[in-house]
Amino acid sequence: MCKKVIISACLLGHLCRYDGKTKKTTEIVEAFKDFEIIPFCPEAPIFGTPRERISVINIDGKNRIITDETNKDVTKLLEDEIYSFIKKYPNTDLIVLKARSPSCGFKTTPILNENREKLYDGDGIAAEIFIKKYPDIEIKSELNLF
Ligand code: SF4
């Protein structure tokens, strides 16, 4: 049985980014051609594409996901989408995530304060949940994959 890998869908060529574009990375598609690839994108199914940008804002010590223009807290919507993905795909051998995204970023996402000034590079909401829910699975950012 071939190995499974969860990969951020925009890295695979899906047109699911906020701007309606992709971030297809041929090296990643090639590297996992013998794996069963499970595409993952929590934002597009909820907000559609294209959509308003979102950011990780640290409010009272907790990271929340807030829309950039309308200032809405969409944390719960994303959490529900991510948990339902995990329920559908409880098993994988590896996870590869798009860098700097408020959802997918792994140790690379700008965490902002309430004035939208950068505090540090941390995890997007999906990476944060994946770390807890797939505790024995290696998670890699696209940036340190090779
Ligand atoms: S980084 Fe994640 S949430 Fe953003 S478009 Fe890519 S797969 Fe979707």
Side-chain angles (χ1 to χ4, degrees), residues 14-83:
H14 295 212
L15 297 164
C16 55
R17 281 180 38 101
Y18 73 92
D19 56 5
K21 295 182 180 161
T22 176
K23 275 283 176 184
K24 184 171 181 183
T25 308
T26 311
E27 295 83 357
I28 294 178
V29 177
E30 265 301 296
F32 294 104
K33 65 179 186 314
D34 295 328
F35 282 61
E36 180 188 333
I37 294 178
I38 304 165
F40 168 71
C41 178
E43 294 182 24
I46 307 173
F47 309 117
T49 304
R51 59 184 169 274
E52 185 180 348
R53 293 188 82 158
I54 55 179
S55 299
V56 184
I57 312 282
N58 190 281
I59 301 172
D60 297 331
K62 288 199 173 153
N63 288 349
R64 308 295 301 175
I65 309 294
I66 310 287
T67 58
D68 280 8
E69 284 146 44
T70 50
N71 216 33
K72 279 192 208 133
D73 188 328
V74 293
T75 312
K76 175 78 169 65
L77 285 173
L78 280 160
E79 281 172 351
D80 289 349
E81 182 69 27
I82 295 159
Y83 281 118

Side-chain angles (χ1 to χ4, degrees), residues 4-6 36 38 89-95 134 137-138:
K4 294 179 183 177
V5 57
I6 291 169
E36 180 188 333
I38 304 165
Y89 301 104
N91 302 308
T92 186
D93 296 288
L94 181 66
I95 298 171
Y134 298 106
I137 303 304
E138 188 176 15

